[in-house]
Amino acid sequence: MNAHSGGSILKQPLAVWAIAFACVVSFMGIGLVDPILPAIASELHATSTETSLLFTTYLLITGAAMFFTSWLSSRIGAKKTLLIGLAVIVVFATLAGLSSSVSGVIGFRAGWGLGNALFISTALATIIGASSGGAAGAIILYEAALGVGLAIGPLAGGLLGSVSWRAPFFGTAVLMAVGFIAIVTLLRIPDAAPQPTKLSAPFRALGNRSLLVMAFTALFYNMGFFVLLAWTPFALVPLGVHDAMTLGWIFFGWGLAVAVTSVFVAPMLTARMRRTTVLIAVLPALAVVELLMALLSSSVTALIVLVIVGGLLLGVMNTVLTEVSMDATDLPRSVASSTYSGVRFLGGAVAPPLASWLGETVFDSTAVPFLVGVVVLVISMVIVVAGRRHLTRADGAEETDLETAEAISVGDAD
């Protein structure tokens, strides 16, 4: 059974809330394009496979760059790394909104992904280091920001996208600029002796069997996650659901479900059973949801309901996966975060074009991509079951004061 810190996740320093706000906006960028995918495909004369590359370039560059963020942040500090990441996002989100071709938008989303990588992996380690109440509460807060961002992103994309598909990109740039100002003014990290991380550290970290198990669990899980997120809008188009606002509300409900279970349900479950038990229970449940989406792909009502149910399960998975990954090893949290997040995002990069290619080109079926989601989620579960003996540290008792102090030291040194 896993214990959690008794402190409220709401009682945090202003610096933590500043980072959390910027995290919300950053994660908005993932779901922001969901409601405008059909509009971009239509106005820029692109196929669904080409349009899905808006996810792929963003996630591919995000994942690849995350392997190097701990090296950079350990040299220039967390605050500078966060600010550089936010500035890069502002620039490339603006350029994406100004683009006149789908290839241009795809390319600028890649630059956006670079900024996202610098920000996200550093933000997780910094929130853990600067928060009060221990690592578990900090991770819940981080995942809450993920859920809120995923909820607001599609709604903002739908609202702004109903005006123009360009508007969501400009809106993100403005909000990220606000996040930049908040971190400049509110984040105060105490001076600490630099502890530079080697460039090879995140790659060598994969030699740790516990982190290796979690990285590949997250790789296949994220493929299933993004099959649901990226393919569902295209599956709904033949059923008459294609306007940005309708899709925005659907994925707002999905993201809200992610947020609620991230914050409330995941801690309840892990307080009563081992974290790995939660993973082993929820992954097949997600696979069942995507199987039903495949079988009922001709029903608008079924797809909408199943997307929301999927969001409830995804919220639990996001929180517990991150907790296990951060606590399964004694590696510095910044290194573990970079490695785990990098591999996880690479899985998200593969899924959207693979799903679109199979659904649109190979089989001409809206059901087949969801079946791919079923397969990768089952693989993810098998990896957890097979590697469970390497995850006993994450299944242990409450974090000790020494581990908490070490986490704060790592966060400050970043």
Side-chain angles (χ1 to χ4, degrees), residues 81-260:
T81 306
L82 292 170
L83 293 176
I84 290 171
L86 290 172
V88 170
I89 294 172
V90 169
V91 170
F92 282 97
T94 301
L95 291 173
L98 294 171
S99 182
S100 59
S101 68
V102 70
S103 59
V105 180
I106 290 169
F108 292 131
R109 281 280 285 180
W112 187 339
L114 174 61
N116 207 46
L118 291 170
F119 177 79
I120 287 180
S121 65
T122 310
L124 175 55
T126 308
I127 283 181
I128 290 175
S131 68
S132 59
I139 289 171
I140 292 171
L141 181 61
Y142 177 82
E143 293 298 339
L146 167 62
V148 172
L150 290 176
I152 297 175
L155 188 59
L159 286 168
L160 295 173
S162 62
V163 177
S164 167
W165 66 264
R166 301 176 188 276
F169 296 113
F170 296 137
T172 299
V174 170
L175 289 173
M176 276 305 195
V178 173
F180 183 97
I181 295 169
I183 289 177
V184 166
T185 55
L186 297 176
L187 182 58
R188 298 284 186 269
I189 299 178
D191 292 332
Q195 298 178 10
T197 299
K198 291 183 178 179
L199 190 62
S200 61
F203 300 98
R204 286 168 39 225
L206 287 172
N208 182 297
R209 291 186 179 181
S210 301
L211 190 58
L212 184 67
V213 168
M214 289 313 301
F216 279 91
T217 297
L219 174 77
F220 288 101
Y221 159 71
N222 234 31
M223 290 179 70
F225 180 107
F226 277 96
V227 164
L228 186 150
L229 179 62
W231 179 248
T232 303
F234 290 111
L236 288 169
V237 168
L239 304 178
V241 180
H242 50 75
D243 64 288
M245 199 62 253
T246 301
L247 290 171
W249 279 112
I250 292 170
F251 282 93
F252 169 75
W254 169 81
L256 190 62
V258 172
V260 169

